[in-house]
Amino acid sequence: MATTAHCCYCFEVLAATLEKRSHRSLNQTQDLWTQYQQDLSLEDAKKGQEDDEMTQDDGESSDGVLEELETDDEEPRRPTPSMLQPPKISRLQASASPASASTVSTPSSLSATSSRAALGESSKSSSNTSFFSFTRRSQQPSPARKEEEYPLFVTWNTVSSRGHKSLRGCIGTFDARELSDGLASYALTAAFDDTRFTPINLSELPTLAASVTLLTAFTPAQHPMDWDLGTHGLRVSFSHHGKRYGATYLPDVAVEQGWTKEQTIVSLMRKAGWVGRSADWKKVADLRVVRYQGKKASVGYREWRDWRTWVEKEER
């Protein structure tokens, strides 16, 4: 199954080629992407904990206000020194009694000063955890992975400021390739050698999105309609005027275009080079359809760039 890390690797290869530098390996990209996601999860968890603590403090302050309102009907009392102290300090002093209960996460026996010190140490420890764990992981090379092999396609799209996608290049292979080699090769082939488009240049990089589709479950269809929209990609081949033709659509194409099955077959035949009337597609000799499956993963430039910035920061 294709992953976001596979797409980041395609971005890495293309960017490095355009910038005339070396690129990270697929294994390095996958490891760094995993670490990046772990750090994002830790940051989200820390932010959620801080939000909870702020909500808890707001609730305690509200309770104090309510208590003051409830005593409005009583005879006014002359303020004492303890009443003039800030509510939080009063609660900390009151909680010194062993019998009292507190919802504050710091132990009740801590003074205000020691609480701040403890929280400061905790914060410092949390902020350092990510860096040191990254350093330890980086120093230990990942165990060798068995190279997976898949037929695959790499797709480049340009994305407008309004989010509209336009195809910029898409090329792949039906032969199983080791992913490290296949992804690198077809990331560049789709960027530079798709004859429907001019080669991608460096200035276009911020407008791009990369998609990877790994293909599986190839099955000859019993007839041209023996497949499901949104589930299957198609590979057709046929003979016309003594010449053999062939073309393919990935599983998401027909759904994105809003085509019926018949419209998909006709469009695919035209892509292959057939120029007959749409109603005559069934008359084409020796039409063969192979269906297959493939889940696509995608990543946009901004997401890849955010990851790259994180990597560069951690490597300083």
Side-chain angles (χ1 to χ4, degrees):
M1 182 175 176
T3 66
T4 306
H6 292 152
C7 301
C8 285
Y9 180 60
C10 291
F11 254 118
E12 278 288 288
V13 172
L14 178 60
T17 301
L18 292 171
E19 295 167 356
K20 303 185 186 319
R21 59 174 175 80
S22 60
H23 62 79
R24 291 175 176 80
S25 69
L26 176 60
N27 282 349
Q28 289 173 327
T29 302
Q30 290 174 314
D31 288 342
L32 289 167
W33 178 260
T34 298
Q35 294 169 27
Y36 173 63
Q37 292 298 307
Q38 290 173 348
D39 273 18
L40 288 182
S41 296
L42 287 173
E43 288 178 8
D44 289 343
K46 182 179 178 181
K47 185 176 184 302
Q49 183 179 6
E50 290 173 350
D51 290 343
D52 289 344
E53 290 174 353
M54 290 178 64
T55 302
Q56 187 180 42
D57 288 344
D58 289 344
E60 290 174 351
S61 298
S62 299
D63 290 344
V65 172
L66 288 174
E67 288 173 0
E68 290 178 5
L69 291 175
E70 289 170 355
T71 60
D72 284 349
D73 293 337
E74 299 177 4
E75 183 178 351
R77 291 177 294 173
R78 180 175 300 175
T80 64
S82 63
M83 292 172 62
L84 295 176
Q85 293 178 347
K88 289 186 179 180
I89 301 299
S90 299
R91 282 197 299 274
L92 285 170
Q93 290 179 339
S95 64
S97 170
S100 64
S102 173
T103 59
V104 181
S105 58
T106 53
S108 59
S109 59
L110 290 174
S111 67
T113 303
S114 60
S115 296
R116 286 193 297 270
L119 290 173
E121 289 297 321
S122 174
S123 175
K124 184 185 296 183
S125 175
S126 298
S127 63
N128 288 336
T129 299
S130 172
F131 173 79
F132 287 115
S133 60
F134 174 86
T135 304
R136 287 194 294 271
R137 289 194 297 263
S138 299
Q139 291 173 347
Q140 299 176 359
S142 300
R145 295 187 180 97
K146 182 181 178 180
E147 273 280 13
E148 296 180 293
E149 297 184 359
Y150 284 96
L152 59 92
F153 274 74
V154 176
T155 303
W156 293 105
N157 287 295
T158 55
V159 184
S160 70
S161 57
R162 296 184 177 181
H164 176 71
K165 292 195 305 181
S166 299
L167 183 64
R168 190 65 180 81
C170 180
I171 296 182
T173 177
F174 287 104
D175 296 326
R177 297 281 298 270
E178 290 185 350
L179 287 184
S180 58
D181 174 64
L183 291 174
S185 176
Y186 284 95
L188 298 181
T189 303
F192 302 139
D193 298 328
D194 190 329
T195 56
R196 297 170 292 179
F197 308 96
T198 59
I200 290 174
N201 59 60
L202 182 60
S203 65
E204 290 182 85
L205 204 61
T207 70
L208 294 177
S211 298
V212 171
T213 308
L214 305 183
L215 312 182
T216 61
F218 288 84
T219 307
Q222 296 182 5
H223 54 81
M225 298 296 150
D226 182 26
W227 56 281
D228 296 321
L229 285 165
T231 299
H232 296 111
L234 299 178
R235 184 183 187 184
V236 302
S237 60
F238 55 91
S239 297
H240 188 61
H241 297 320
K243 186 178 179 180
R244 196 73 186 166
Y245 296 86
T248 189
Y249 276 149
L250 296 175
D252 58 302
V253 172
V255 173
E256 287 181 352
Q257 298 299 322
W259 293 333
T260 64
K261 286 187 177 183
E262 184 169 344
Q263 288 172 329
T264 303
I265 293 292
V266 171
S267 176
L268 189 49
M269 292 173 66
R270 293 202 184 285
K271 180 183 178 184
W274 181 66
V275 293
R277 293 172 58 241
S278 296
D280 293 336
W281 72 269
K282 295 180 182 179
K283 299 178 182 179
V284 173
D286 195 25
L287 175 60
R288 299 178 185 178
V289 177
V290 174
R291 70 191 189 202
Y292 58 86
Q293 297 183 40
K295 295 295 184 181
K296 181 175 71 173
S298 301
V299 67
Y301 172 83
R302 179 171 294 181
E303 188 175 5
W304 169 74
R305 186 66 256 180
D306 287 346
W307 168 76
R308 280 279 306 179
T309 300
W310 174 88
V311 171
E312 291 164 0
K313 180 180 177 182
E314 294 291 342
E315 288 180 341
R316 288 189 191 125

